[in-house]
């Protein structure tokens, strides 16, 4: 497969030629308007079926929210997309041509799938600006030489991302001194430095103040169109504030899909959330 060979060649180059972002070697084919196809995916852990014949399609540039009770399989679904967990059955395609199940975890990252985990993992001792710079190089061995060698394009990209995440005034601050919300935005910024086609975000507003939540909603909305964004989130007010289309997962399958109002009024969804409450 040609694209896969190109990608692997680019990744090999990346080990030598330091901070080039390898994904740019790859032009993702989204000619059908769909960026991600998960079809008939199942995963069993010790006899327990965490994902059960899951079908999920994400459009190019859309912002999708995934909700569902604890244990519904939301994180496992993200683990499958990123290659951390391999499904027992099913298919996972990125655009028209990339078979995710044939790629390793680092290869999946370099074809343009970025994942933000719940806990921010910024480099606390480094300045905000340096965090963004360092995020350009996967290979930590090149970091000592990286900062002195940025091209004008790379500096421009950093300024653009600083503006997107709203941390221009904090650019020279130590990341460790940021608020919880600011760290989360910085980490999203670090993912943006890789210019991903698809961004996966797990529970972005946990622990945030209301003001930070509003700012995060704005940020995620501003990414849609330029990227596809999949957000897993428990906070219903937050989901309502950002969602176009919502997918409800339950017992490893899609229970309902539609606008927030459609899924909220779906009797099956109401039943699943009865008692527990999202
Ligand atoms: N690596 C694993 N080994 C065993 N069980 C797992 C593993 N990962 C997830 N599970 C189980 O799969 C189910 C789905 O988990 P998860 O995807 O974390 O749900 P969610 O994120 O929707 O809360 C849960 O019952 C969980 O205990
Ligand atoms: Mg989870």
């Amino acid at each position: 497969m040609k694209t896969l060979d190109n990608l692997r060649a680019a990744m090999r180059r990346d080990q030598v030629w330091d901070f080039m972002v390898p994904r740019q070697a790859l032009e993702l084919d989204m000619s059908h308007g769909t960026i991600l196809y998960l079809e008939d995916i199942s995963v069993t852990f010790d006899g327990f079926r965490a994902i059960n014949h899951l079908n999920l399609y994400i459009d190019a540039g859309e912002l999708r929210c995934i909700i569902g009770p604890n244990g519904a399989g939301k994180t496992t679904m993200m683990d499958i997309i990123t290659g951390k967990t391999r499904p027992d059955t099913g298919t996972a395609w990125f655009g028209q041509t990339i078979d995710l199940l044939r790629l390793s975890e680092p290869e999946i990252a370099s074809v343009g799938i970025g994942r933000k985990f719940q806990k921010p993992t910024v480099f606390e001792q480094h300045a905000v600006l340096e965090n963004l710079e360092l995020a350009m190089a996967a290979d930590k061995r090149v970091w000592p030489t990286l900062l002195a060698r940025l091209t004008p394009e790379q500096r421009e990209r950093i300024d653009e991302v600083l503006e997107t995440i709203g941390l221009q005034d904090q650019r020279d601050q130590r990341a460790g001194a940021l608020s919880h919300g600011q760290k989360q935005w910085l980490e999203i910024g670090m993912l943006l430095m890789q210019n991903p086609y698809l961004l996966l975000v797990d529970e972005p507003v946990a622990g945030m103040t209301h003001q930070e939540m509003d700012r995060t909603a704005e940020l995620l909305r501003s990414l849609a169109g330029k990227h596809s964004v999949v957000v897993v989130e428990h906070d219903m007010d937050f989901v309502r504030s950002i969602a176009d289309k919502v997918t409800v997962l339950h017992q490893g399958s899609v229970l309902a899909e539609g606008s927030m109002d459609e899924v909220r009024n779906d009797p099956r969804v109401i039943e699943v959330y009865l008692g527990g409450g999202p």
Side-chain angles (χ1 to χ4, degrees):
M1 195 171 111
K2 188 150 183 303
T3 48
L4 190 55
D5 290 343
N6 288 349
L7 166 68
R8 290 198 164 125
M11 286 188 79
R12 276 195 298 277
R13 262 204 313 281
D14 187 47
Q15 285 164 11
V16 185
W17 177 236
D18 40 53
F19 54 82
M20 191 185 127
V21 179
R23 207 244 334 130
Q24 284 157 357
L26 187 128
E27 192 73 39
L28 187 64
D29 180 354
M30 295 183 278
S31 54
H32 291 220
T34 304
I35 189 167
L36 183 73
Y37 300 79
L38 300 182
E39 294 191 321
D40 203 25
I41 299 260
S42 293
V43 185
T44 302
F45 297 117
D46 305 321
F48 175 77
R49 192 171 279 219
I51 298 288
N52 189 17
H53 299 289
L54 174 69
N55 294 308
L56 184 79
Y57 306 91
I58 304 294
D59 286 347
E62 88 161 287
L63 171 58
R64 177 75 62 92
C65 287
I66 313 264
I67 61 173
N70 270 333
K74 302 182 297 294
T75 299
T76 304
M77 179 203 73
M78 289 199 174
D79 289 343
I80 290 168
I81 298 169
T82 57
K84 188 172 174 218
T85 296
R86 295 297 171 178
D88 303 325
T89 59
T91 57
W93 288 84
F94 191 47
Q96 299 303 306
T97 56
I98 298 177
D99 181 353
L100 292 176
L101 301 186
R102 288 182 53 197
L103 301 187
S104 69
E105 247 185 296
E107 284 170 344
I108 289 174
S110 54
V111 294
I113 298 183
R115 179 177 192 178
K116 160 130 186 36
F117 289 95
Q118 217 172 314
K119 197 168 162 283
T121 49
V122 299
F123 304 109
E124 306 245 336
Q125 300 307 322
H126 286 274
V128 166
L129 189 66
E130 287 168 351
N131 269 267
L132 295 177
E133 291 168 346
L134 297 174
M136 284 189 294
D139 185 347
K140 292 188 169 64
R141 285 170 306 183
V142 307
W143 285 4
T145 55
L146 175 68
L147 304 184
R149 298 173 56 187
L150 295 175
T151 64
E153 292 76 28
Q154 287 169 324
R155 293 190 185 283
E156 206 170 292
R157 177 68 185 146
I158 288 172
D159 286 339
E160 198 179 282
V161 169
L162 270 175
E163 194 184 327
T164 304
I165 61 177
L167 293 180
Q168 302 102 309
D169 294 346
Q170 287 77 24
R171 60 192 288 151
D172 297 318
Q173 236 179 60
R174 217 170 43 83
L178 297 176
S179 74
H180 172 70
Q182 289 172 327
K183 284 183 191 170
Q184 300 279 7
W185 305 332
L186 176 56
E187 202 187 0
I188 290 173
M190 291 165 74
L191 290 169
L192 292 177
M193 289 308 299
Q194 304 282 336
N195 207 14
Y197 288 109
L198 173 64
L199 207 57
L200 307 173
V201 191
D202 206 348
E203 299 194 31
V205 299
M208 281 191 183
T209 64
H210 274 288
Q211 221 172 10
E212 288 174 332
M213 281 169 66
D214 288 346
R215 178 66 197 102
T216 304
E218 254 173 63
L219 169 57
L220 293 174
R221 289 229 55 97
S222 78
L223 299 180
K226 301 186 194 108
H227 312 262
S228 302
V229 185
V230 174
V231 181
V232 164
E233 184 52 62
H234 281 292
D235 190 293
M236 283 303 139
D237 290 333
F238 181 76
V239 171
R240 191 170 296 119
S241 75
I242 66 167
D244 293 325
K245 191 168 171 185
V246 179
T247 297
V248 185
L249 277 195
H250 178 54
Q251 297 179 346
S253 309
V254 173
L255 180 71
E257 209 161 71
S259 70
M260 188 71 198
D261 282 338
E262 281 164 359
V263 303
R264 199 181 42 175
N265 294 315
D266 187 312
R268 293 164 304 177
V269 176
I270 293 167
E271 193 183 324
V272 161
Y273 275 116
L274 255 182

